[in-house]
Amino acid sequence: MGAFFTSRIVSDILIGAAQGVLVGLIALSLVLIWQSTHVLNFAQGAMAMFAAFCGMTMLEHGLNYWVCVLISLVAAMLLGGVTERVLVRPLYGKAEINSIVVMVGFLGILESGASSIWSGMARQLTSPLSQTYFTLGSKTLYLSPFSLFQIGSALTLMLGVAALFRFTKIGLQLRASALAPEVSRLLGVRVSRMLTLGWIISSAVGAFAAIIIATSGSGLFPSNMDGFFVFGFIAAAIGGLESPGGAILAGLLIGIIQTFVADYLSPSWVAFTPVLILVLSQLVRPAGIFTKNTTRRL
Amino acid sequence: MQISNLTVRYGAIEAIRDVTFTAMPSRITAVLGANGAGKTTLLRTISGLVQPASGSIVIEGVELIGRATDDIARLGVGHVPEGRGVIAEFTVEENLRLGAMAFDIDLAAGLDEQYQQFPVLGERRKQYASTLSGGERQMLAMARALIAQPRLLLLDEPSLGLAPLVAAELMTTIRELCATKNLSVLLVEQNAKGALRIADDAVVLSVGRVVANGSAAEVASDDQLRQYYLGLVQ
Amino acid sequence: MKITQILLRLRYSSLGRLVLALLGTVVAICVVLLVSAQSDTYIANAGAMTIAILGLSLLTGWSGQVSIGNSGFMAVGAFTTGIWANHHQSSPIIISLLLSILTGAIAGLLVGIPATRLKGPYLAGMTLAFVTAMVPFIQSLGKLTGGSGGLFFANLSSPSWFANLSGDPQNFIVANYRWAATVSVVITGVAYYFMSNLFASRAGRAMRLVRDNDVAAELMGVNLGRVRVGAFVISAAYAGLAGSLVALLSGVARADNFGLALSIEILSLLVLGGIGTLSGALMAGLLAAYASTLIAKLNALFGLNPYSNLGSNSQGIIFGLLLVVTMLTAPQGMAGLLKKISHLRARKEAE
Ligand SMILES: Nc1ncnc2c1ncn2[C@@H]1O[C@H](COP(=O)(O)OP(=O)(O)OP(=O)(O)O)[C@@H](O)[C@H]1O
Ligand SMILES: [Mg+2]
């Protein structure tokens, strides 16, 4: 039994799943915004990075890790809300290219801004939990207390968001605002507040992912979300941009497939793998693998 | 509700031109007119979905123009839009809950009341709205507006696409609701005959202008109106 | 007033466009010979940027496909040039340039065929994925591309006849700058000429039709897929040429110079100049020439040390801000503003 858990395949799956839940969180964050405002937030990774910087640099001033996380999340919510109100609101109903360009511009501002405030150097965040892998006998089991936390908290967060949308009053209004904004307004729902709230939630989810990525990987630096954002985007696109569950699942798959590619083929192919997956999935099902067929809107 | 000198433009098109009339409380006012007369535009302007070029709309002393749609709804204006606007991805009950969401009312009692009024909805409460028939959707849309206990109800072509018998039944229901709920209704209809049967007052629009305004009986008995604007021939 | 009108009218005939391109190039060469050597380096780089912007203008402005991956195609061109230059030291630069156009076009075809099946944000996201994958990919190729250190090779140097012609034959350094700028300006002129013809051609009209209403275009018999892929290929060929020129000017090809930041810069300049018009792309090119000077001036104005955190990143912040503010307030860019102003003037005169 122990040999099974430490086998090459299971090891790859464990490592891949730990990456994959993070990709899934970013994908979820993108889908939440896309569903309600039909804006693809190209600045999502950068916003998450910026918010993570706001809190996590306090570590250097001796603050507790979890307090720093809390500060980052609050910063992320503020940033998300303000972004929606100031930058995104004027874009509703405009051509797609306008929102793409504005969000790409915002991405540039945030990354250069972070470099000028905190410098471009990577900061190591001391992990509150051990990152040494467990061992089974003499073999390594590719799980550590931190990676367990990573997978567990990401799944909890996903379930939490799902429950919020499914079972609460606010969730019903959030969904209605995304599905039928005009009808929702006619029923007295504060749709514009709901859109802001969607950005706030999405931004917090993204920032949480950014913190975990910075803690588990190569530290926190201005462009450290670029790669993950692309993977998250691809996961969301494979899921059809409309399906939170599909996005999470696709994220998990991307994480695992990438680990296999790195292990069995070559690490230099890892970056291209998600692009290939995206292209293949789009050729098979242009509307996304996990969405029902819809007709083209004219 | 008083509407005075209301003018609405879509770019160069004047969809509503200098419209003035009053809808009396606790009465049904029918708004009639051919396709493109501006009926939907009138309702959308009242709900704040369209901003007028000029004019005023006052309900119980409150000016509606310039207010946000959700605020207007919260003032007690229910609007059942053209095409009903039920949320297909929601169940019947979720649609109704959404209708009650913004208002300070007892949800359970409200649901019960609507299920009593429209028993079909009660039977289908867990069903997705996408699976409802046209008539059932219309009832759901009405129930969703009524659960908020509005004082003014705007109905945009409720009988559209319904079988004549169902449409007639619906008209009767509207009449009853108006009487029991102390509700004012602005009823936009193509089906002039059905609407005039239950309405107290009537306004006839033609290319954005009011061409007649009076009691439903007066309008119904005016031969010229019947012939030229309402398409009713004896 | 009259002269500008005559010049503007020239663009409606093919001979007129040739005259315009020639005139523009000659004027630009005169400028190159008159200004300082320092300004010449700006002009030389601006030429490369203009070519990249023209390519993006075709793809994004005309065919309506937003790409933030064109710097990836520039990387393809730059490395083609670098690899070729290291293996065939004495071959004329025109071969490097043509090869880079070719490899750029092939890369554009490879990315374009799947990409054109995507719409709007999916497409933009895929080009983003392409550019972020491209940098580590090139770096992973080891000896061929010089890894993360990049490739080094001989950059453009002035032939002696040009050095004699441009003044001081002893001072080869200045002559080299002048020569690089002249070459860049000439290539830009040729690239502009081709683009202006394409803009006026049936294919150009088909592209704009696809952008404005793809359903109508399809009904009118336009082959959507072919138009979209075609736009990708041409745009990538232009990017390849631009990348090649960048490499030739500096004598280096480094993958991380062709990352997302460059794509954002090209897009910012294009949006600022004006999406969808040739004049907008040209104005964007002029901006490119002055951008770094302007930013250095701004830094000095605010007393920023250019090597401090803020000073070295002010360019990115300013480009980002310009992109956002332009899109929110004047989405047609400078070209659109100028058009509006001239319309207002025309109306005033008419009154
Ligand atoms: N969003 C819009 N933009 C431009 N014109 C519009 C718009 N909405 C309506 N119109 C025009 O305004 C006029 C009135 O339209 P409206 O929908 O109010 O008519 P209606 O009386 O409801 O017609 P019907 O009985 O067919 O529903 C029409 O000429 C229509 O073309
Ligand atoms: Mg109508």
Side-chain angles (χ1 to χ4, degrees):
Chain A
M1 207 54 200
F4 170 72
F5 285 116
T6 54
S7 66
R8 193 171 171 189
I9 290 185
V10 174
S11 302
D12 282 346
I13 291 179
L14 290 177
I15 297 172
Q19 293 284 304
V21 287
L22 299 177
V23 177
L25 278 183
I26 295 163
L28 174 65
S29 163
L30 286 171
V31 168
L32 288 178
I33 285 180
W34 174 264
Q35 269 185 327
S36 57
T37 55
H38 274 251
V39 170
L40 184 65
N41 184 7
F42 280 97
Q44 189 262 359
M47 286 168 69
M49 169 278 300
F50 202 90
F53 260 112
C54 288
M56 300 321 281
T57 42
M58 301 284 171
L59 273 177
E60 290 154 20
H61 302 286
L63 230 58
N64 177 285
Y65 182 87
W66 304 109
V67 176
C68 294
V69 172
L70 205 67
I71 298 175
S72 295
L73 293 183
V74 172
M77 292 182 183
L78 271 175
L79 187 59
V82 171
T83 303
E84 195 273 339
R85 287 273 148 142
V86 178
L87 286 187
V88 183
R89 188 146 295 192
L91 296 170
Y92 296 146
K94 295 273 168 60
E96 233 159 27
I97 179 171
N98 293 32
S99 68
I100 296 173
V101 168
V102 167
M103 293 329 285
V104 168
F106 192 40
L107 161 76
I109 297 174
L110 287 171
E111 287 197 357
S112 305
S115 298
S116 47
I117 301 174
W118 294 290
S119 99
M121 279 192 326
R123 280 155 209 253
Q124 298 309 321
L125 308 182
T126 353
S127 164
L129 297 164
S130 162
Q131 297 201 24
T132 358
Y133 290 123
F134 297 116
T135 49
L136 280 182
S138 61
K139 296 262 181 61
T140 313
L141 173 68
Y142 281 89
L143 277 177
S144 67
F146 189 81
S147 76
L148 277 178
F149 163 74
Q150 179 172 332
I151 297 174
S153 61
L155 292 179
T156 313
L157 192 54
M158 290 165 186
L159 288 177
V161 171
L164 172 76
F165 273 77
R166 200 80 245 161
F167 301 118
T168 66
K169 275 184 160 191
I170 288 285
L172 189 72
Q173 297 182 61
L174 281 167
R175 279 189 290 150
S177 305
L179 288 168
E182 190 172 292
V183 168
S184 303
R185 281 204 179 89
L186 288 177
L187 297 174
V189 175
R190 306 269 196 218
V191 172
S192 61
R193 280 186 208 175
M194 291 302 136
L195 299 185
T196 312
L197 185 60
W199 275 74
I200 290 174
I201 298 171
S202 157
S203 182
V205 169
F208 185 77
I211 294 167
I212 303 285
I213 288 168
T215 310
S216 68
S218 45
L220 185 57
F221 53 98
S223 61
N224 82 328
M225 289 296 284
D226 284 2
F228 265 95
F229 170 76
V230 168
F231 301 153
F233 158 76
I234 290 176
I238 291 172
L241 285 183
E242 301 270 357
S243 149
I248 291 168
L249 207 63
L252 205 56
L253 277 177
I254 285 181
I256 294 173
I257 292 175
Q258 276 180 316
T259 319
F260 274 96
V261 169
D263 188 14
Y264 285 86
L265 296 171
S266 150
S268 47
W269 286 101
V270 168
F272 267 116
T273 314
V275 186
L276 284 180
I277 300 176
L278 172 68
V279 169
L280 286 180
S281 78
Q282 292 284 326
L283 294 184
V284 182
R285 283 293 303 267
I289 294 194
F290 302 100
T291 43
K292 293 177 211 117
N293 262 328
T294 47
T295 46
R296 184 155 77 158
R297 250 185 306 190
L298 299 183
Chain B
M1 177 183 68
Q2 281 124 357
I3 296 181
S4 2
N5 307 104
L6 192 70
T7 298
V8 181
R9 290 196 193 98
Y10 295 112
I13 305 171
E14 271 197 350
I16 301 263
R17 301 177 197 194
D18 199 24
V19 163
T20 301
F21 71 90
T22 304
M24 297 298 211
S26 311
R27 285 161 78 92
I28 298 179
T29 307
V31 178
L32 308 172
N35 289 116
K39 309 180 295 292
T40 300
T41 303
L42 177 67
L43 295 198
R44 290 174 65 83
T45 312
I46 296 173
S47 278
L49 291 170
V50 176
Q51 293 307 313
S54 60
S56 92
I57 302 173
V58 177
I59 292 186
E60 293 170 354
V62 181
E63 173 64 61
L64 295 191
I65 287 172
R67 279 175 197 269
T69 301
D70 42 357
D71 284 331
I72 293 173
R74 281 158 189 261
L75 284 173
V77 178
H79 186 149
V80 180
E82 199 169 15
R84 286 136 208 177
V86 299
I87 299 184
E89 295 88 343
F90 278 14
T91 62
V92 168
E93 186 146 319
E94 280 177 326
N95 266 291
L96 291 175
R97 276 173 49 209
L98 184 68
M101 200 63 60
F103 299 87
D104 186 23
I105 51 162
D106 181 350
L107 180 65
L111 285 174
D112 273 350
E113 190 188 340
Q114 297 311 319
Y115 290 148
Q116 243 160 43
Q117 179 74 46
F118 304 100
V120 208
L121 298 181
E123 290 159 22
R124 309 206 184 303
R125 62 178 79 182
K126 294 275 172 251
Q127 212 165 306
Y128 281 97
S130 55
T131 64
L132 296 182
S133 77
E136 288 160 353
R137 283 182 196 211
Q138 187 61 53
M139 286 179 213
L140 176 56
M142 297 258 296
R144 191 178 60 182
L146 288 169
I147 199 169
Q149 301 175 342
R151 278 168 300 164
L152 171 65
L153 186 60
L154 312 176
L155 298 174
D156 200 342
E157 308 211 19
S159 69
L160 191 76
L162 301 189
L165 213 62
V166 183
E169 238 172 76
L170 189 73
M171 291 295 156
T172 316
T173 312
I174 294 170
R175 176 76 263 172
E176 280 165 10
L177 282 169
C178 175
T180 55
K181 291 267 162 189
N182 215 7
L183 181 70
S184 320
V185 177
L186 210 56
L187 174 64
V188 162
E189 265 299 339
Q190 288 277 338
N191 166 13
K193 201 167 164 186
L196 286 173
R197 186 167 59 79
I198 61 160
D200 302 294
D201 305 308
V203 175
V204 182
L205 292 181
S206 171
V207 235
R209 281 183 205 284
V210 176
V211 288
N213 179 2
S215 78
E218 277 166 23
V219 170
S221 59
D222 186 320
D223 279 342
Q224 239 179 334
L225 280 178
R226 294 172 62 98
Q227 213 172 336
Y228 292 125
Y229 297 111
L230 308 179
L232 299 174
V233 188
Q234 255 141 356
Chain C
M1 193 64 210
K2 272 278 162 60
I3 292 175
T4 52
Q5 267 169 2
I6 293 168
L7 284 178
L8 279 178
R9 202 150 296 158
L10 274 179
R11 68 196 156 136
Y12 294 116
S13 76
S14 64
L15 186 66
R17 287 191 289 273
L18 184 61
V19 170
L20 267 184
L22 277 176
L23 259 179
T25 310
V26 168
V27 168
I29 292 175
C30 293
V31 171
V32 164
L33 294 179
L34 288 174
V35 297
S36 71
Q38 175 66 34
S39 303
D40 277 342
T41 60
Y42 294 142
I43 294 178
N45 283 314
M49 287 299 273
T50 308
I51 296 170
I53 292 166
L54 279 170
L56 186 65
S57 174
L58 167 87
L59 185 62
T60 301
W62 307 358
S63 86
Q65 307 180 90
V66 182
S67 163
I68 33 187
N70 274 27
S71 62
F73 299 125
M74 288 176 75
V76 172
F79 278 90
T80 305
T81 301
I83 295 166
W84 182 260
N86 274 343
H87 289 86
H88 307 268
Q89 257 114 15
S90 57
S91 93
I93 57 162
I94 183 81
I95 304 215
S96 285
L97 295 171
L98 289 177
L99 274 178
S100 302
I101 293 176
L102 186 68
T103 50
I106 293 171
L109 189 68
L110 288 180
V111 176
I113 288 176
T116 48
R117 306 192 49 149
L118 314 182
K119 286 191 81 177
Y122 287 91
L123 173 70
M126 177 173 165
T127 57
L128 171 67
F130 165 70
V131 72
T132 39
M134 206 57 197
V135 175
F137 178 72
I138 291 176
Q139 288 173 342
S140 74
L141 291 181
K143 239 174 130 181
L144 183 66
T145 57
S148 50
L151 277 185
F152 295 87
F153 41 90
N155 55 358
L156 287 177
S157 55
S158 165
S160 49
W161 64 265
F162 183 83
N164 290 330
L165 197 93
S166 69
D168 187 358
Q170 303 315 330
N171 192 346
F172 253 84
I173 297 178
V174 172
N176 279 346
Y177 283 133
R178 299 237 193 277
W179 173 246
T182 308
V183 168
S184 175
V185 162
V186 170
I187 297 172
T188 310
V190 174
Y192 171 80
Y193 173 65
F194 275 106
M195 195 57 86
S196 66
N197 275 333
L198 184 60
F199 191 78
S201 71
R202 267 182 66 124
R205 277 201 304 276
M207 276 176 202
R208 272 163 282 158
L209 189 59
V210 169
R211 171 197 65 191
D212 294 335
N213 190 340
D214 55 350
V215 179
E218 207 167 12
L219 292 177
M220 287 171 67
V222 176
N223 183 334
L224 287 189
R226 215 193 291 162
V227 167
R228 289 202 175 118
V229 175
F232 241 99
V233 170
I234 299 171
S235 173
Y238 267 71
L241 177 62
S244 171
L245 195 51
V246 168
L248 285 172
L249 290 173
S250 59
V252 206
R254 274 178 57 106
D256 44 9
N257 289 344
F258 297 99
L260 181 61
L262 181 60
S263 275
I264 295 183
E265 192 176 331
I266 300 172
L267 183 64
S268 314
L269 288 167
L270 175 62
V271 167
L272 210 58
I275 276 184
T277 54
L278 271 180
S279 53
L282 279 188
M283 265 185 259
L286 280 181
L287 276 177
Y290 286 103
S292 43
T293 336
L294 279 180
I295 283 164
K297 285 224 172 94
L298 271 179
N299 273 347
L301 188 68
F302 290 103
L304 285 178
N305 173 0
Y307 301 105
S308 67
N309 279 342
L310 183 55
S312 58
N313 286 295
S314 56
Q315 172 159 353
I317 298 178
I318 291 171
F319 273 127
L321 275 175
L322 283 177
L323 203 50
V324 169
V325 172
T326 313
M327 237 333 151
L328 290 181
T329 57
Q332 302 301 318
M334 290 179 0
L337 282 182
L338 283 184
K339 210 179 243 174
K340 246 186 221 165
I341 292 172
S342 70
H343 271 295
L344 280 181
R345 251 212 223 139
R347 205 185 292 167
K348 250 192 203 153
E349 270 172 27
E351 273 167 10

